[in-house]
Amino acid sequence: MNQTDRQAALEYHQYPSPGKISVTASKPLVTQRDLTLAYTPGVAAACEEIVADPLNAFRYTARGNLVGVITNGTAVLGLGNIGALASKPVMEGKAVLFKKFAGIDVFDIEINETDPDKLVTIIAGLEATFGGINLEDIKAPECFSVERQLRERMKIPVFHDDQHGTAITVSAAFINGLKVAGKKITEVKVVVSGAGAAALGCLELMMDLGLPLENIWVTDIDGVVYEGRPTLMDPDKQRYARHTDLRTLAQVIEGADVFLGLSAGNVLKKEMVASMAERPLILALANPTPEILPEVALAVRDDIVMATGRSDYPNQVNNVLCFPYIFRGALDVGATSITRAMEVAAVYAIATLAEEEQNDVVAAAYGSYDLAFGPEYFIPKPFDPRLIVRIAPAVAKAAMEDGVATRPIADLDAYVEQLQQFVYHSGAFMKPLFAAAKQRVRDGGKARIVFTEGEDERVLRAVQVIVDEKLARPILVGRPAVLLARIQKFGLRLRLGQDVEVTSPDYDERFHQYWTTYWDLMCREGITKEMARVEMRRRLTLIGAMMVRLGDADGMICGTVGAYHDHLRYVDQVIGKKPGAHTYAAMNILLLDQRTVALVDTHVNDDPTAEQIAEFTIAAAEELALLNLAPKAALLSRSNFGSASSASGSKMRQALKLITERAPALEVDGEMHGDCALDATLRSQILPDSRLTGSANLLVCPNVDAGNIAYNLLKTAAGSNVAVGPFLLGVNAPVHILTSSSTVRRIINMAALTVLDANRSS
């Protein structure tokens, strides 16, 4: 690490508060009653229930979602025996990974004890605290006996990640690497550099997957592990001792199909690579410097299939691919241990995922590499959000089949859907809407949705999911040759003309009707015949809007490229406002940790009148009701129920009067501050007779600046960039204009909602 990066790392750990983790209360503690329930005397009730049935600890405490990450700091990756105290930053980092990737809480525990028997006694005494134990960075061979003893003594999962986490991830890379190389697991010669906990753990699991013991050659710092070797041997290593006169890595690697390195940098030399079998699989996993760098190996020969432990090369083998999700599955079924079948299930879940196409989160996190299963990509990326919904259910199922689950999951399909919250925060909100959209597709309802920016990467990735989940029948506006090239580039499976319909702006037999219809509409607005023809060829939103108008599509998604108002202009020209509507407006829904809120207007009306505000408030409330959200509208202003003289306050008071006349059943009040809108207690102190009860979920802003600023601040600072929308209100067809910041998930969400809109209007 250079000095700049080192300083940045130190500042990262120090500011704004030291360390990387904190404990956050999950219940409020702001009143005397809260204190009574949380501690004395209320806590006694929970204690008594646990005395009556120990399994109640999972109901009344955090134990069922709490893992202990425990080390004595004797074998910290890349740092060695640095001791318990110095290992704490690493363990805090592990805690962050558990929380980030699987929603699991962690206490990191650094124990200043090197005697393995005493270490076992200390850890075993913590069983009442945790739902599982993740052992970390304990040196070999003590780590083997520590884990074995703890598994015998404790009735919760005990998992030494350096052994089993590494083994699972490496085995997934091993299986898929052999598939890419075109070799069979029963026939390959495997040479291993390193004989510590990680390497031996990998070999045990690889043999359970079908690798014959006699095909394995192990080497370490003293050379080949052979029968009768007098130095650096222990019972776990002895199993791999070979009857041979060969003594060096260079000697045993000749003709090898696979090199597995879990040792030290640069131990695999160029001449060794040259002596390996045709199309060798090289897993050079030492960190930070691999046993051989990919560019060095590839300079020797070009038929190599290779992985490292580094993120700056393809095929990073990283334990974070598995350990959070194995614990997620084990904790959710109350597993008493982690069995070999659970580990094998995790291996195949990871391996299978690598053969699927990449998604938007992976592309964003890794710079949109053009990934497809093959030499450059045969193991999933650590930030692939689908890992949890593949691995955790597979592990949970294996635990139940092995009889170690104390709380079996009755409906695994429902469990998978529950896990979607870790993939897309919008999952819970969108679940019933997705189900409804799928039903419309199955019933043969209106589901032809045209995507005007069909060549955009996000749109193509979204359409792949839409096709897979049968959420709509997509139509792409784009050039077929470009679409085919990009589908291949992004590793997607879309088949033009089968999975998706294509409307080409270069040629389509319907274009004569499209441009002549547009000319009829706009000939008195200064559009000539030639302009109409040219505009219809080059304005993709114009093409999509005309398809909807003429019945060639049931709805439209546009706006992922370009300015919002440019798209709105063409929508207005071709489709227009629905009967009775006098204005458009945009509504966005934010899915925050503690609440779901909609904001309107976020994109259309610079300074709306009271009349316009009343109209789009009612329209937004109707849209929320269709989405199964009971609308509670707050008209926002810098004035709080007449507390200040302001133009926005006066406008909102006038809008409130119009709304109550036209929609007397709508729960709405204003003008008010934003905190009063969301805090019912504060609002009741200021205006006890407010028509609004509870927290508002529809925030109506006095102008587009306020709406747009509030939306983007909340989305970024509190909403993890998770939003649904924008919804275009007031339009006379199922049409929604998105924005250039739209994610793949947002495009998918809006496609499902557009299908529902199309069927409501039919």
Side-chain angles (χ1 to χ4, degrees):
M1 181 181 292
N2 61 43
Q3 190 58 39
T4 300
D5 287 345
R6 179 180 177 83
Q7 185 59 37
L10 292 174
E11 291 177 358
Y12 173 87
H13 281 79
Q14 184 176 359
Y15 303 108
S17 58
K20 296 189 286 284
I21 59 175
S22 65
V23 176
T24 302
S26 62
K27 302 294 193 308
L29 192 62
V30 295
T31 67
Q32 181 61 43
R33 178 164 177 77
D34 291 339
L35 182 60
T36 298
L37 296 174
Y39 198 51
T40 183
V43 72
C47 295
E48 289 165 354
E49 292 296 314
I50 295 170
V51 170
D53 182 357
L55 287 179
N56 279 332
F58 296 105
R59 295 180 62 188
Y60 299 119
T61 76
R63 184 178 182 234
N65 194 50
L66 184 62
V67 165
V69 172
I70 300 179
T71 189
N72 63 359
T74 53
V76 179
L77 181 65
L79 298 172
N81 186 355
I82 60 175
L85 181 61
S87 73
K88 186 170 177 61
V90 182
M91 298 308 109
E92 286 188 358
K94 195 83 170 189
V96 171
L97 296 178
F98 269 105
K99 188 67 175 181
K100 165 69 177 177
F101 290 106
I104 294 172
D105 294 320
V106 166
F107 290 160
D108 66 292
I109 298 180
E110 295 74 32
I111 301 173
N112 192 21
E113 179 58 71
T114 57
D115 183 285
D117 293 330
K118 291 181 180 179
L119 188 62
V120 167
T121 300
I122 294 168
I123 297 171
L126 300 172
E127 182 171 352
T129 299
F130 298 107
I133 299 292
N134 183 91
L135 300 175
E136 194 78 21
D137 294 348
I138 301 171
K139 73 182 180 71
E142 289 90 336
C143 61
F144 300 115
S145 63
V146 168
E147 186 195 44
R148 277 195 287 265
Q149 291 183 65
L150 289 173
R151 287 192 168 194
E152 291 170 1
R153 292 178 59 171
M154 304 179 81
K155 296 192 183 314
I156 57 174
V158 176
F159 188 81
H160 183 203
D161 187 47
D162 296 323
Q163 290 181 62
H164 305 295
T166 302
I168 289 165
T169 311
V170 168
S171 294
F174 175 62
I175 288 173
N176 280 357
L178 291 182
K179 186 176 293 187
V180 172
K183 299 188 178 186
K184 296 181 180 179
I185 191 172
T186 55
E187 299 175 358
V188 293
K189 175 184 177 181
V190 177
V191 173
V192 185
S193 175
L200 299 186
C202 289
L203 290 176
E204 287 183 13
L205 184 52
M206 289 160 66
M207 285 192 293
D208 285 346
L209 294 171
L211 176 65
L213 175 61
E214 59 269 22
N215 291 15
I216 299 171
W217 295 78
V218 176
T219 68
D220 61 11
I221 195 170
D222 265 13
V224 175
V225 174
Y226 63 90
E227 290 182 2
R229 197 177 86 168
T231 58
L232 292 180
M233 295 295 289
D234 57 68
D236 294 287
K237 193 184 299 184
Q238 183 63 41
R239 180 183 186 186
Y240 302 97
R242 300 294 298 266
H243 182 69
T244 180
D245 293 328
L246 303 178
R247 292 294 182 264
T248 67
L249 174 61
Q251 290 173 332
V252 297
I253 202 169
E254 185 175 350
D257 299 283
V258 180
F259 170 81
L260 172 59
L262 290 154
S263 54
N266 301 316
V267 301
L268 184 64
K269 306 302 181 183
K270 291 189 290 185
E271 55 271 21
M272 299 181 191
V273 173
S275 73
M276 294 180 72
E278 182 182 357
R279 203 154 171 76
L281 172 61
I282 297 177
L283 306 174
L285 306 179
N287 253 323
T289 305
E291 285 79 2
I292 188 168
L293 290 168
E295 59 266 29
V296 176
L298 289 168
V300 178
R301 52 196 297 179
D302 60 4
D303 64 341
I304 291 169
V305 180
M306 186 168 182
T308 71
R310 287 174 45 157
S311 61
D312 54 345
Y313 289 105
N315 300 311
Q316 182 190 15
V317 179
N318 191 315
N319 286 15
V320 78
L321 284 168
C322 69
F323 70 81
Y325 316 118
I326 288 171
F327 271 98
R328 182 74 277 158
L331 292 174
D332 289 341
V333 295
T336 56
S337 65
I338 292 178
T339 67
R340 180 62 94 196
M342 294 161 71
E343 294 177 4
V344 170
V347 170
Y348 284 113
I350 296 169
T352 301
L353 178 58
E355 296 191 64
E356 300 181 26
E357 72 277 357
Q358 285 302 307
N359 73 358
D360 61 309
V361 176
V362 177
Y366 293 96
S368 193
Y369 297 158
D370 303 330
L371 300 175
F373 186 75
E376 295 294 303
Y377 174 72
F378 56 83
I379 189 165
K381 293 289 188 178
F383 275 98
D384 194 320
R386 298 167 295 180
L387 286 162
I388 192 169
V389 295
R390 301 293 194 276
I391 299 173
V395 169
K397 184 173 183 288
M400 293 187 287
E401 291 173 348
D402 271 4
V404 297
T406 61
R407 302 190 305 279
I409 295 171
D411 188 342
L412 277 174
D413 290 337
Y415 176 55
V416 171
E417 292 183 355
Q418 175 190 333
L419 291 172
Q420 288 287 345
Q421 66 179 297
F422 297 110
V423 181
Y424 301 116
H425 297 176
S426 56
F429 173 77
M430 290 301 301
K431 176 186 170 184
L433 304 174
F434 280 159
K438 290 179 183 180
Q439 189 62 50
R440 302 298 185 274
V441 175
R442 286 194 296 268
D443 293 344
K446 293 185 176 182
R448 298 171 303 159
I449 307 303
V450 58
F451 296 83
T452 61
E453 293 91 18
E455 296 174 2
D456 183 81
E457 177 180 353
R458 289 164 299 162
V459 171
L460 286 170
R461 292 189 183 281
V463 168
Q464 181 69 72
V465 176
I466 290 165
V467 169
D468 290 344
E469 298 188 11
K470 298 179 173 61
L471 291 170
R473 292 190 286 274
I475 304 168
L476 296 176
V477 177
R479 296 159 292 177
V482 175
L483 291 171
L484 285 171
R486 293 187 179 181
I487 287 168
Q488 182 177 11
K489 177 182 177 181
F490 304 140
L492 305 178
R493 295 168 283 107
L494 293 173
R495 297 167 299 174
L496 302 185
Q498 297 181 59
D499 298 323
V500 297
E501 179 185 333
V502 176
T503 297
S504 172
D506 290 336
Y507 174 78
D508 191 295
E509 60 185 12
R510 298 170 293 186
F511 266 71
H512 182 270
Q513 183 186 15
Y514 290 174
W515 76 258
T516 55
T517 302
Y518 181 58
W519 183 41
D520 288 342
L521 289 171
M522 300 299 295
C523 62
R524 292 183 178 273
E525 302 293 332
I527 299 295
T528 66
K529 181 184 292 188
E530 185 57 31
M531 288 174 62
R533 184 184 295 112
V534 171
E535 288 291 273
M536 188 56 67
R537 291 285 181 189
R538 67 178 182 173
R539 305 298 184 186
L540 304 182
T541 297
L542 196 54
I543 296 170
M546 191 60 70
M547 292 183 72
V548 173
R549 180 185 178 92
L550 296 179
D552 293 332
D554 301 315
M556 180 176 77
I557 297 290
C558 63
T560 55
V561 177
Y564 193 95
H565 276 274
D566 289 339
H567 295 280
L568 182 58
R569 180 170 72 254
Y570 297 120
V571 170
D572 183 49
Q573 288 175 353
V574 175
I575 294 173
K577 302 179 185 70
K578 66 173 56 176
H582 301 90
T583 190
Y584 298 107
M587 178 181 75
N588 277 281
I589 297 176
L590 289 167
L591 306 161
L592 309 178
D593 287 341
Q594 302 297 324
R595 68 184 83 240
T596 295
V597 295
L599 285 91
V600 66
D601 173 28
T602 55
H603 289 91
V604 178
N605 299 285
D606 284 346
D607 187 15
T609 64
E611 175 71 33
Q612 289 175 312
I613 290 171
E615 181 178 321
F616 63 62
T617 298
I618 294 171
E622 291 172 349
E623 187 68 39
L624 288 184
L626 291 172
L627 299 174
N628 304 311
L629 293 173
K632 294 174 178 285
L635 307 180
L636 302 184
S637 168
R638 69 181 179 90
S639 172
N640 205 27
F641 301 114
S643 65
S645 176
S646 70
S648 65
S650 174
K651 183 166 61 175
M652 287 307 199
R653 286 194 294 271
Q654 187 178 351
L656 177 64
K657 181 179 179 181
L658 296 171
I659 294 168
T660 54
E661 290 173 355
R662 298 172 188 177
L666 176 60
E667 194 171 322
V668 58
D669 210 341
E671 82 290 4
M672 69 179 74
H673 290 173
D675 53 357
C676 280
L678 300 178
D679 188 338
T681 302
L682 177 61
R683 186 170 63 251
S684 66
Q685 294 172 356
I686 298 170
L687 192 72
D689 63 346
S690 173
R691 300 179 67 234
L692 185 63
T693 62
S695 178
N697 61 6
L698 174 56
L699 306 180
V700 183
C701 298
N703 56 57
V704 77
D705 287 346
N708 192 272
I709 291 168
Y711 162 65
N712 282 296
L713 285 174
L714 282 172
K715 180 185 68 172
T716 304
S720 301
N721 202 34
V722 179
V724 181
F727 296 79
L728 181 57
L729 306 175
V731 66
N732 194 30
V735 170
H736 295 296
I737 303 171
L738 307 188
T739 62
S740 58
S741 64
S742 294
T743 62
V744 169
R745 174 49 51 173
R746 203 177 307 168
I747 297 169
I748 296 166
N749 287 344
M750 293 309 296
L753 291 167
T754 304
V755 169
L756 296 182
D757 288 345
N759 286 277
R760 292 188 193 110
S761 62
S762 60

